[in-house]
Amino acid sequence: MVTSRHSTDSEAMAGREPRNEHAEPKPMRVSVIVPVYNGERVLPGLLEALSAQTYPREHTEILVVNNNSVDRTGAVIDQWLIRGVTHLRCEQQGSYAARNLAIAHARGDVLAFTDADCRPCPDWLQAGVDTIRRAKVDRIAGLVTLRLCRKPGLWELVDATNYKLGEKLAATGLVATANLLITRTAIDKVGPFDDTIISGGDMEFGRRCNALGISYRFSPEVKVTHRARGAWEQIRRSRRIGVGLAQTTSEPLLTRANHHWKDLVPGASLAGLTSADLGEVAISKWRWVQVLAMRYLAVDMVRSAAHVWGRWLLRHGRAERTLAKVSRSG
């Protein structure tokens, strides 16, 4: 006891703060990054959700990247400037280019990624930072859930399969940017997203993280919700993913496609998925057959056809304008 007191007195005399082994850890600064294209209808809801976060606002910055929007997205962002939102503009088309621009501006110890049409739960950031500290990891794969109505329609159920498959991928470190938290140290080691591809960049980024041994934890407590996509929106999304796969599996095909074979073969990704995976939603066997059929025809087949089309465009040097158009439409 005496030795401890003399040591503390000596530190005070030397002009140093006494050590407190039980002191609270220094708060981590968090940079929330949101790319947006023509999001005037969905962005206000996200910004409201971010403003309701329980994580200390003084330790949070929100970077919204306007990616050449032609609607009132810019005006929506500007309305939030007085509430601490930063409006960035990215001229290079593509969500990964927009995220990279925000990464360059971010000052946080932790970077938190989500999308304009997502709705983070109030404790999203707090749960994410707590998990990073408690588990001593550099990445958090959060849970993305679908907001289903009481009696979901066919296309809502088809979209629900996307999120269940995404959850399985997140558990392996292939984290969707709709809900990703990563330390600044880790992202400096891994590098930015590949902004030359229009889709699948989060999976490519996740594989680089895994290859470098960047630690991660899948945490269902770090949760955001997403609205259900309609039929045409899912078809356009599948087209965009297919063209993105054409970019990530470009020559030589056989050496790269091994990572994506479940995406390239229609129906392969659904192996092992059952109606029970939809959680509390109870549907009949016939309804589940309809879900699988619609997913196979309007999602998987569209994606595979778009992959073939994209590879033809790339091979014949006709991809630039098409890729820009698909990036905007998806």
Side-chain angles (χ1 to χ4, degrees), residues 207-253:
R207 288 190 177 91
R208 272 190 284 143
C209 287
N210 288 349
L212 291 173
I214 303 298
S215 56
Y216 73 93
R217 173 68 60 86
F218 174 65
S219 177
E221 292 77 26
V222 184
K223 186 167 67 174
V224 306
T225 60
H226 193 285
R227 61 182 178 82
R229 303 180 183 94
W232 179 236
E233 191 176 4
Q234 290 189 55
I235 291 172
R236 289 188 303 173
R237 177 176 179 269
S238 296
R239 181 184 63 168
R240 175 171 54 82
I241 292 174
V243 176
L245 282 169
Q247 293 176 289
T248 55
T249 61
S250 57
E251 304 296 346
L253 173 62

Side-chain angles (χ1 to χ4, degrees), residues 37 67-69 90-95 97 195 198 324 327-328:
Y37 172 73
N67 196 199
N68 299 313
S69 298
C90 180
E91 295 183 359
Q92 180 181 344
Q93 193 65 45
S95 62
D195 58 16
I198 65 172
S327 178
R328 290 185 177 94

Side-chain angles (χ1 to χ4, degrees), residues 118-176:
C118 289
R119 299 293 179 266
C121 293
D123 63 347
W124 176 54
L125 293 178
Q126 187 67 63
V129 171
D130 288 347
T131 304
I132 286 175
R133 280 194 156 135
R134 183 177 63 253
K136 297 181 180 179
V137 294
D138 286 306
R139 282 184 295 159
I140 297 297
L143 180 65
V144 183
T145 62
L146 188 65
R147 298 194 300 271
L148 291 173
C149 65
R150 293 182 62 183
K151 294 183 178 180
L154 175 60
W155 285 102
E156 288 181 276
L157 294 171
V158 172
D159 202 19
T161 63
N162 291 320
Y163 292 94
K164 287 302 173 182
L165 294 172
E167 185 178 331
K168 294 178 183 295
L169 287 173
T172 68
L174 303 182
V175 189

Side-chain angles (χ1 to χ4, degrees), residues 13-325:
M13 292 176 63
R16 296 193 299 268
E17 291 291 331
R19 289 174 293 182
N20 184 356
E21 295 180 356
H22 302 288
E24 290 292 326
K26 180 181 177 181
M28 301 180 80
R29 184 170 178 81
V30 179
S31 299
V32 180
I33 294 175
V34 182
V36 58
Y37 172 73
N38 286 355
E40 65 171 309
R41 291 186 297 176
V42 296
L43 186 58
L46 170 70
L47 295 176
E48 289 287 354
L50 292 177
S51 69
Q53 291 295 301
T54 59
Y55 198 74
R57 187 66 184 88
E58 63 271 20
H59 301 304
T60 308
E61 66 173 354
I62 300 172
L63 307 175
V64 181
V65 190
N66 187 355
N67 196 199
N68 299 313
S69 298
V70 295
D71 62 358
R72 295 189 63 258
T73 293
V76 171
I77 302 172
D78 289 341
Q79 292 173 0
W80 284 79
L81 296 181
I82 59 174
R83 298 176 68 173
V85 172
T86 299
H87 186 176
L88 301 176
R89 294 173 177 82
C90 180
E91 295 183 359
Q92 180 181 344
Q93 193 65 45
S95 62
Y96 301 115
R99 293 184 183 99
N100 286 343
L101 177 67
I103 289 171
H105 284 78
R107 296 173 295 169
D109 306 301
V110 174
L111 279 61
F113 296 89
T114 191
D115 295 331
D117 51 1
C118 289
R119 299 293 179 266
C121 293
D123 63 347
W124 176 54
L125 293 178
Q126 187 67 63
V129 171
D130 288 347
T131 304
I132 286 175
R133 280 194 156 135
R134 183 177 63 253
K136 297 181 180 179
V137 294
D138 286 306
R139 282 184 295 159
I140 297 297
L143 180 65
V144 183
T145 62
L146 188 65
R147 298 194 300 271
L148 291 173
C149 65
R150 293 182 62 183
K151 294 183 178 180
L154 175 60
W155 285 102
E156 288 181 276
L157 294 171
V158 172
D159 202 19
T161 63
N162 291 320
Y163 292 94
K164 287 302 173 182
L165 294 172
E167 185 178 331
K168 294 178 183 295
L169 287 173
T172 68
L174 303 182
V175 189
T177 44
N179 191 358
L180 164 66
L181 281 77
I182 183 170
T183 64
R184 182 81 216 197
T185 302
I187 209 164
D188 286 343
K189 181 178 180 181
V190 178
F193 293 95
D194 184 348
D195 58 16
T196 66
I197 55 180
I198 65 172
S199 183
D202 39 7
M203 299 296 103
E204 188 275 337
F205 181 81
R207 288 190 177 91
R208 272 190 284 143
C209 287
N210 288 349
L212 291 173
I214 303 298
S215 56
Y216 73 93
R217 173 68 60 86
F218 174 65
S219 177
E221 292 77 26
V222 184
K223 186 167 67 174
V224 306
T225 60
H226 193 285
R227 61 182 178 82
R229 303 180 183 94
W232 179 236
E233 191 176 4
Q234 290 189 55
I235 291 172
R236 289 188 303 173
R237 177 176 179 269
S238 296
R239 181 184 63 168
R240 175 171 54 82
I241 292 174
V243 176
L245 282 169
Q247 293 176 289
T248 55
T249 61
S250 57
E251 304 296 346
L253 173 62
L254 294 180
T255 60
R256 295 188 179 184
N258 61 320
H259 292 302
H260 304 275
W261 71 270
K262 286 187 177 181
D263 297 315
L264 297 174
V265 178
S269 62
L270 293 171
L273 191 68
T274 69
S275 60
D277 291 314
L278 299 180
E280 298 178 358
V281 178
I283 60 175
S284 66
K285 291 182 178 180
W286 170 238
R287 193 58 160 174
W288 179 241
V289 170
Q290 291 177 306
V291 170
L292 294 180
M294 283 298 98
R295 180 181 172 89
Y296 183 86
L297 294 173
V299 177
D300 288 10
M301 287 297 294
V302 169
R303 183 177 58 207
S304 297
H307 171 257
V308 175
W309 176 56
R311 288 182 62 82
W312 184 88
L313 290 171
L314 291 168
R315 180 168 296 181
H316 292 82
R318 300 175 60 178
E320 185 174 349
R321 291 181 62 185
T322 302
L323 292 180
K325 182 178 179 180

